């Protein structure tokens, strides 16, 4: 499968994982965080949670995976696309926390930060793993042994 299509499929899988993780956070905090409102603020449509969620899914499924493909050669954290996906997701988490935290403060802000970090790491790992598997990047980036007969 070509790289952009592989990344979009990886993005769809990653958004699925991220959405489930965010829903679990919402349930565990008894809706104190208001993640759908956070998502709406993050994508620039505060107050319109349905549109915010649709833009969130579109960005996570199409836009961010295509940016991942464009930047993959420059991403840190090694040749494994899953690990590079984690490195790609960390700046997204920083932006999510800074732009989406709204009125959160104190202990709930710390809980929000930690739980959304895990959710974004899961998104990046899933995006990279599915992308690597479908595009064949995992095999292509595996270093060749210096002396093949010595394995």
């Amino acid at each position: 499968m070509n790289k952009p299509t592989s990344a979009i499929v990886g993005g769809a899988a990653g958004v699925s994982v991220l959405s489930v993780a965010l829903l679990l956070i919402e349930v565990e905090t008894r809706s104190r965080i208001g993640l759908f409102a956070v998502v709406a603020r993050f994508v620039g449509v505060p107050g319109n949670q349905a549109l915010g969620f649709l833009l969130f899914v579109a960005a996570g499924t199409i836009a961010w995976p295509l940016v991942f493909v464009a930047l993959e050669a420059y991403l840190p954290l090694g040749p494994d696309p899953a690990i590079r996906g984690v490195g790609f997701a960390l700046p997204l988490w920083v932006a999510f926390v800074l732009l989406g935290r709204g009125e959160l403060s104190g202990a709930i802000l710390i809980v929000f930060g930690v739980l959304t970090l895990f959710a974004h790491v899961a998104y990046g790992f899933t995006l990279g793993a599915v992308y690597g598997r479908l595009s064949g990047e995992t095999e292509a980036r595996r270093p060749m042994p210096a002396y093949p007969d010595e394995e």
Side-chain angles (χ1 to χ4, degrees), residues 96 99 110:
F96 187 83
L99 298 174
I110 294 170

Side-chain angles (χ1 to χ4, degrees), residues 8-97:
I8 289 172
V9 173
V15 163
S16 299
V17 170
L18 179 61
S19 296
V20 169
L22 292 177
L23 285 172
L24 290 174
I25 292 169
E26 188 74 358
V27 169
E28 288 297 319
T29 61
R30 298 183 182 156
S31 300
R32 288 196 58 210
I33 293 176
L35 282 170
F36 293 119
V38 168
V39 169
R41 283 192 300 271
F42 176 67
V43 295
V45 290
N48 192 342
Q49 295 179 19
L51 179 61
F53 188 74
L54 288 176
L55 291 173
F56 169 78
V57 170
T61 303
I62 299 169
W64 293 131
L66 293 178
V67 172
F68 175 76
V69 169
L71 297 177
E72 72 170 314
Y74 307 105
L75 293 172
L77 303 179
D80 186 355
I83 304 303
R84 282 185 283 131
V86 171
F88 177 75
L90 291 177
L92 297 177
W93 168 73
V94 171
F96 187 83
V97 168

